[in-house]
Amino acid sequence: MPNGSALPGRSYLYVPGHRDSRHERAVHSGADDVIVDLEDAVPADAKKEARTACARLLERPPAGARVWARVNSHPAHLAADLAAVVSPSLTGVWVPKAEPALLAEVDERLTALEREAGVPAGATAVVALLETAEGVLRVEQVCRSPRVVRLGIGEADLAGELRLRPDEQSNQLHGVRLAVVLASAAAGLAPPVGPVEISVHDEERLHATTTLLLRQGFRARTALHPRQVPVINAVFTPTPQEVEEATELLAVLAEAQRQGQATAVDPSGRLVDPAVVRSAQEVLDRAR
C-alpha cells in the first residue's frame, strides 16, 4: 500500500474535515487509518475550511494512523479537494460513488498533482467506495482502476438508490456484499472494508455486525466514533487461540508432506489439506 504499512488496516475512522480540533485525536484513537471527510460530514459552506484543515494536518502529520481523505465526487468540488490534499503525507483518497469513469478522472488528476507536489508517481492510493448500482454492476472494472487498492461499501446510499428497506441485519444487501468480496479476491485486492455501524453507543450490536462482516469476507470496517475502534480492531484481529490453532494446522500438514502425503488428520480428527491450511495462513497473516 502506498505511503504506509503493507498491512491493510482493520479500522478506518471518519473525522469531519472542518472539525480540525478532532483531527489529531482521531490519529491517536487507535484506528489503523483515519479518513478526513471532505464529503458528507461537511456542510456546503464549510468545504473550503475542510480542505484547509486537512492540508494543515498533512503538513505536520502526527505519528499514528495513516491519513486518507474522502473527496467529493461532484465536479464542483472534486478538483479542489484533490488539489488540497495531495502530499507525501497522504496515504490516499476514498472516492465515493465510485464508477469507472469517475476513477479514470481521479487517476488523471492525481497523476498531474503528484508531479506538481513532488510525490512519486502512483503513490496516492484509492479506496473505491461502492454506493451506486452502476458501481456494483461494474465492480470488475472498478477493481482494474490502476490506483484502487481496496473496495469499500456505502450501504445507506446504495440502499436508497436501489429502493431497498434493509432490516436490522441488512439481509437485503448480503448479495451485494458477496459480489464485492468476490470481485476483490478475483482482482487480488485486499479484502474489502465494511460499512459503518450507525448505532455508535451499542457495543454489543457493533460486535455482532462486525463479526458478521468478518464471516462474509470483509477484513476491515469504517467507524463513525473513536469508541467503535477497539471493538472493530478486536474482531478483525485473530485471538491467541486462533493463532495457536492455525500454527498447529500448518505444522501438521508440513509434517505430512515431509512424509510424502498430500493430506493429514490432526489430533482432533479433522482433515488437514492445502485448502484448510490456506485459511490458517490467512489467520496468521492477520495476526498483529
Side-chain angles (χ1 to χ4, degrees):
M1 180 179 291
N3 288 344
S5 166
L7 261 179
R10 302 157 297 179
S11 51
Y12 290 79
L13 175 62
Y14 282 118
V15 59
H18 62 307
R19 303 292 190 188
D20 55 348
S21 61
R22 302 183 188 177
H23 290 182
E24 188 164 346
R25 282 183 290 170
V27 171
H28 293 294
S29 66
D32 294 327
D33 297 76
V34 165
I35 308 168
V36 180
D37 193 3
L38 306 179
E39 194 212 16
D40 284 350
V42 180
D45 61 357
K47 296 292 186 184
K48 184 175 180 180
E49 179 185 351
R51 295 181 196 117
T52 301
C54 184
R56 190 161 50 241
L57 172 67
L58 292 166
E59 286 176 3
R60 297 187 183 85
R66 291 168 294 225
V67 178
W68 301 72
R70 179 165 74 167
V71 297
N72 290 268
S73 59
H74 195 282
H77 299 292
L78 176 61
D81 286 351
L82 293 173
V85 300
V86 170
S87 80
S89 302
L90 182 75
T91 299
V93 296
W94 279 57
V95 178
K97 298 178 176 58
E99 297 172 1
L102 175 59
L103 291 169
E105 179 183 356
V106 169
D107 178 47
E108 182 178 353
R109 291 186 180 277
L110 287 175
T111 298
L113 290 166
E114 286 171 341
R115 191 181 307 118
E116 294 171 10
V119 175
T124 310
V126 166
V127 173
L129 189 55
L130 298 169
E131 299 179 302
T132 67
E134 182 176 353
V136 172
L137 287 175
R138 302 180 69 184
V139 66
E140 293 181 26
Q141 290 175 260
V142 167
C143 289
R144 289 197 293 269
S145 182
R147 293 177 183 269
V148 170
V149 296
R150 206 166 197 182
L151 302 180
I153 183 168
E155 290 187 343
D157 284 287
L158 188 57
E161 178 161 327
L162 299 180
R163 295 179 289 280
L164 299 178
R165 299 181 66 184
D167 57 24
E168 287 201 358
Q169 288 72 43
S170 297
N171 285 297
Q172 295 72 18
L173 286 156
H174 289 184
V176 174
R177 291 183 182 181
L178 179 57
V180 172
V181 169
L182 281 169
S184 295
L189 300 181
V193 183
V196 296
E197 171 55 64
I198 60 174
S199 300
V200 296
H201 299 289
D202 191 338
E203 186 173 309
E204 183 176 341
R205 175 173 172 78
L206 175 64
H207 189 279
T209 57
T210 306
T211 300
L212 176 61
L213 286 167
L214 172 72
R215 292 183 178 277
Q216 291 176 328
F218 292 80
R219 292 295 181 269
R221 186 171 203 179
T222 46
L224 294 173
H225 193 282
R227 66 167 54 94
Q228 295 179 311
V229 168
V231 175
I232 293 172
N233 284 347
V235 171
F236 288 119
T237 302
T239 65
Q241 180 180 353
E242 289 172 329
V243 171
E244 181 180 354
E245 290 175 354
T247 302
E248 290 175 355
L249 286 174
L250 265 66
V252 166
L253 185 60
E255 178 59 29
Q257 290 174 338
R258 279 193 291 269
Q259 298 175 16
Q261 301 173 20
T263 63
V265 176
D266 74 3
S268 69
R270 293 178 298 175
L271 176 69
V272 181
D273 63 7
V276 172
V277 166
R278 182 179 181 183
S279 294
Q281 184 62 59
E282 192 268 341
V283 169
L284 296 179
D285 290 343
R286 287 190 293 115
R288 297 170 185 257

